[in-house]
Amino acid sequence: GRAGAPIFMLENKKVEYEVKSEMKDLAKVATAFGASADTFAPPIMKWGDSTLSQSVAIAVFLGNKLEFDKGFDQYKILQYCLDIEDMAGEALKKMLGAPAEDTKKFLEE
């Protein structure tokens, strides 16, 4: 899901983490579920004093903390993350409302 990249990064560096997906837990940290916070919806990550939401923000943060970004331009990293997000969004738009066989063909190409 949307937490896939951050989870992969944590596992690659053998960092212990906990995934919470129960509504009672999400309601404490996500404004989309009633929390009084500055994080809208999952994925949400807490690291020390930092609490972030949004897949790209979390991935860029972890890239820095776990040193995946050594030797790379921070702004290009962000650009590539957002390029991927844009492409995924466009793919989803193409699939919505399309006949099932068209969606299947699109995903297989």
Side-chain angles (χ1 to χ4, degrees):
R2 295 181 331 171
I7 287 172
F8 173 79
M9 296 165 84
L10 292 166
E11 289 182 354
N12 182 273
K13 296 291 186 171
K14 298 178 179 24
V15 175
E16 290 187 29
Y17 63 92
E18 180 181 4
V19 174
K20 294 182 180 182
S21 57
E22 297 289 324
M23 187 56 71
K24 65 180 177 65
D25 295 321
L26 298 177
K28 295 175 187 173
V29 295
T31 58
F33 303 112
S36 176
D38 66 351
T39 49
F40 179 67
I44 296 172
M45 180 201 69
K46 179 156 179 51
W47 183 293
D49 292 335
S50 297
T51 303
L52 298 170
S53 64
Q54 297 294 336
S55 303
V56 171
I58 293 169
V60 170
F61 178 90
L62 288 175
N64 178 266
K65 290 292 184 185
L66 301 175
E67 299 184 341
F68 282 105
D69 63 351
K70 279 197 166 208
F72 295 96
D73 181 299
Q74 289 289 318
Y75 302 107
K76 277 295 180 187
I77 291 170
L78 181 58
Q79 174 198 319
Y80 295 150
C81 287
L82 294 172
D83 286 347
I84 292 167
E85 184 178 63
D86 284 348
M87 287 187 294
E90 291 303 314
L92 180 62
K93 281 185 204 174
K94 183 173 176 77
M95 291 185 299
L96 292 176
E101 56 274 358
D102 291 351
T103 300
K104 183 174 189 271
K105 181 180 177 191
F106 175 77
L107 291 172
E108 291 173 344
E109 291 177 347

